[in-house]
Amino acid sequence: MKQKKLNEQFKILVVDDSLYTLEVVQRNLSIEGYQVFTASTAEEALNFLEANPIDLVITDFKMPKISGLDLIRHVRENLEDVEIMMITGYPSIDGAVDAVKKGAEEYLIKPFTDKELLTAVERIEEKMIRKRTYQSKKFRVESYGIIGESAEMQNVFKLIKKAASTKANVLISGESGTGKELVARAVHYASERRSAPFVPVNCTAIHDNLIESELFGHVKGAFTGARDSRAGFFQIANGGTLFFDEIGDASLNLQGKLLRVMEDKTIYMVGSSRAFTVDTRIIAATNKDLLSLVTKGFFREDLYYRLNVINILIPPLRERTNDILLLINYFLEKFPTELNRSVPRFSDDALRVLVKYHWQGNVRELENLIQRLVVIKDNDLIEVADLPVSMKFSVNRKMEINRTLAEVEAEHIRNVLVSVNGNKTKASEILGVDRKTLREKLKRIKPVNTPENG
Ligand SMILES: Nc1ncnc2c1ncn2[C@@H]1O[C@H](COP(=O)(O)OP(=O)(O)O)[C@@H](O)[C@H]1O
Ligand SMILES: [Mg+2]
């Protein structure tokens, strides 16, 4: 698939004994950015559901052995959070009403258009977003003042706990705005060092000719302008934690100095020959790939390994959809109180845009946006029109313009086949080609993935 999937978190399992339906549905929904899996029997679907978190099951009604209705019943009884859509050829005979009663959110009648399918899926998706937003209000998940319930953040919390129980150095990596500093503070305040200072140092802000004095301090008269003695970062953070932010931007000079202190734990103030022993824990953060800087010779390998004893990687916000909703709620509650405003609400469409947005600036970008919206909107409903233009554009998932003729042709063939229930004779009539040509074209079309191979 060529385009970026903006909505990898919404996972759909399609169950149908007709491979053509599977293929068409999978294709159409993948193009829209959904992550789509397929199963050709209800048994296969049940196995898949046991091992994989799925948001929506789209199932055929008539299938050999276990029917769609039984599948729906099973999902309803065992998997609370999974939504269901049923596909049926004959709504009245198949008992679609029954299916809806048993827990299917929607049903679609075959043959259906791409648009009908997408509209139905989007309706369910919206409902789900609403439900989750509501639920997340009830169960805000927070650790160390860090909001997040995604598996990725649970892992981060685990690592924070582990790091807090040791003195080992920590390297935190992640894009800008993912909460690296927040995590560094969490490690410090969860550790035994919490009553000693946490001292953040931005490596880009240290002048190369002041490195020694900034890090180790200086005594009175050490250099022109040194009118008083001044402690350096290592002394201030003694017993506590020094947080070197943007470590990837540290000059080789600074890197060398850091490495030396980490090795022998002693410092000399500029202008003094008296050695101070320091006990400072080092946490560093970077949004760069340090290893590639090592390869290029911009970062010392020995320092890299010294720092990277415990590695905490914070994934970007766009990979943790559930956290987006949690954070929106968190900031919605936080800012109105701070700004003396009342809490605005989001329309479902606006929420959908936010969940699908790429969040280049991660949590910081989200935080700033909510703050701005709270100021502008006060008590009102926030709608798509209120969101920044760039956000609305980036959510346009269609990208039809990127598709090749072969892709469009393949899709059309699949659609026609579905509409005639896989009858190749009828399909070739509609398509205006003979059966042989159709067979050959079908051979070239990529087969669908099944839970086993996809
Ligand atoms: N999981 C989170 N929960 C709550 N606030 C967060 C979270 N992640 C980031 N923030 C907030 O987003 C902003 C950016 O976080 P910060 O730690 O400075 O990011 P980084 O250092 O990675 O650029 C801060 O205001 C921070 O409080
Ligand atoms: Mg930062």
Side-chain angles (χ1 to χ4, degrees), residues 47-167:
N47 285 336
F48 187 74
L49 284 167
E50 254 174 44
N52 301 278
I54 287 288
D55 296 300
L56 167 65
V57 173
I58 301 180
T59 177
D60 187 20
F61 186 82
K62 275 212 176 82
M63 287 185 293
K65 291 208 242 166
I66 308 179
S67 76
L69 209 54
D70 291 326
L71 178 62
I72 292 174
R73 195 181 303 122
H74 176 88
V75 170
R76 259 306 128 263
E77 282 168 10
N78 298 291
L79 300 162
E80 208 185 319
D81 291 334
V82 179
E83 303 297 332
I84 305 165
M85 184 196 302
M86 207 183 70
I87 307 174
T88 167
Y90 310 92
S92 51
I93 309 169
D94 282 351
V97 180
D98 214 19
V100 173
K101 275 196 205 136
K102 288 226 160 49
E105 286 285 336
E106 300 255 352
Y107 67 89
L108 264 188
I109 299 162
K110 274 187 197 174
F112 46 83
T113 62
D114 298 356
K115 181 121 203 302
E116 283 166 341
L117 170 68
L118 185 63
T119 311
V121 169
E122 284 182 345
R123 236 185 342 252
I124 290 181
E125 190 188 6
E126 262 167 40
K127 213 182 280 182
M128 199 147 193
I129 289 176
R130 239 186 347 248
K131 202 159 94 188
R132 286 188 183 164
T133 313
Y134 174 68
Q135 286 174 344
S136 57
K137 263 218 158 78
K138 285 189 298 184
F139 319 110
R140 173 192 299 163
V141 186
E142 165 179 348
S143 272
Y144 316 103
I146 304 171
I147 309 292
E149 66 170 3
S150 59
E152 289 88 348
M153 287 310 288
Q154 296 305 316
N155 190 41
V156 168
F157 297 150
K158 243 189 266 161
L159 289 169
I160 291 175
K161 203 167 159 202
K162 178 177 152 203
S165 66
T166 73
K167 273 173 81 172

Side-chain angles (χ1 to χ4, degrees), residues 145-147 153 175-182 245 327 330-331 363-364 367:
I146 304 171
I147 309 292
M153 287 310 288
E175 288 176 18
S176 176
T178 46
K180 294 187 294 295
E181 179 155 355
L182 215 53
D245 203 359
L327 284 160
Y330 171 69
F331 293 131
V363 184
R364 183 178 292 115
E367 185 174 18

Side-chain angles (χ1 to χ4, degrees), residues 5-12 33-35 53-55 125 132 152 316-322 324 355:
K5 279 187 265 172
L6 292 172
N7 188 27
E8 283 186 306
Q9 279 65 37
F10 201 81
K11 298 189 176 64
I12 301 176
Y34 297 102
Q35 195 172 354
I54 287 288
D55 296 300
E125 190 188 6
R132 286 188 183 164
E152 289 88 348
L317 189 56
R318 61 184 164 278
E319 287 174 14
R320 345 180 221 128
T321 312
N322 290 358
I324 296 179
V355 169

Side-chain angles (χ1 to χ4, degrees), residues 367-386:
E367 185 174 18
N368 292 342
L369 174 75
I370 304 286
Q371 185 165 20
R372 237 175 324 151
L373 288 172
V374 166
V375 171
I376 302 168
K377 298 299 283 192
D378 205 352
N379 200 8
D380 281 345
L381 185 67
I382 298 170
E383 306 199 71
V384 177
D386 300 313

Side-chain angles (χ1 to χ4, degrees), residues 181 199-207 214-215 233 242-251 254 285 364:
E181 179 155 355
V199 180
V201 177
N202 192 322
C203 294
T204 54
I206 302 185
H207 272 291
E214 297 267 37
L215 292 182
F233 294 131
L242 251 181
F243 173 56
F244 287 101
D245 203 359
E246 319 269 8
I247 191 78
D249 291 320
S251 66
L254 173 55
R364 183 178 292 115

Side-chain angles (χ1 to χ4, degrees), residues 134-304:
Y134 174 68
Q135 286 174 344
S136 57
K137 263 218 158 78
K138 285 189 298 184
F139 319 110
R140 173 192 299 163
V141 186
E142 165 179 348
S143 272
Y144 316 103
I146 304 171
I147 309 292
E149 66 170 3
S150 59
E152 289 88 348
M153 287 310 288
Q154 296 305 316
N155 190 41
V156 168
F157 297 150
K158 243 189 266 161
L159 289 169
I160 291 175
K161 203 167 159 202
K162 178 177 152 203
S165 66
T166 73
K167 273 173 81 172
N169 295 330
V170 182
L171 180 64
I172 304 170
S173 33
E175 288 176 18
S176 176
T178 46
K180 294 187 294 295
E181 179 155 355
L182 215 53
V183 167
R185 284 177 194 275
V187 171
H188 172 76
Y189 288 105
S191 77
E192 282 178 353
R193 301 175 165 256
R194 72 180 72 83
S195 45
F198 172 88
V199 180
V201 177
N202 192 322
C203 294
T204 54
I206 302 185
H207 272 291
D208 230 40
N209 49 355
L210 286 177
I211 290 177
E212 293 229 11
S213 145
E214 297 267 37
L215 292 182
F216 314 133
H218 59 252
V219 294
K220 190 174 167 177
F223 46 83
T224 333
R227 266 182 255 147
D228 293 299
S229 289
R230 223 190 88 187
F233 294 131
F234 274 95
Q235 289 145 305
I236 298 170
N238 200 5
T241 305
L242 251 181
F243 173 56
F244 287 101
D245 203 359
E246 319 269 8
I247 191 78
D249 291 320
S251 66
L252 284 169
N253 194 2
L254 173 55
Q255 293 175 33
K257 301 264 183 326
L258 280 182
L259 189 67
R260 197 195 53 68
V261 192
M262 286 163 88
E263 272 162 4
D264 54 26
K265 315 235 179 300
T266 52
I267 59 161
Y268 299 88
M269 292 174 84
V270 177
S272 156
S273 56
R274 201 176 128 215
F276 269 95
T277 305
V278 286
D279 166 31
T280 310
R281 188 214 202 135
I282 310 278
I283 301 181
T286 181
N287 58 11
K288 297 193 168 156
D289 179 3
L290 280 193
L291 265 184
S292 97
L293 292 184
V294 168
T295 332
K296 290 182 191 134
F298 296 135
F299 203 83
R300 293 182 63 141
E301 191 173 15
D302 40 9
L303 179 61
Y304 172 78

Side-chain angles (χ1 to χ4, degrees), residues 400-416:
E400 302 271 12
I401 215 78
N402 286 336
R403 299 165 65 197
T404 64
L405 266 181
E407 284 174 313
V408 175
E409 184 189 67
E411 183 182 3
H412 185 56
I413 293 175
R414 288 190 191 97
N415 284 339
V416 169

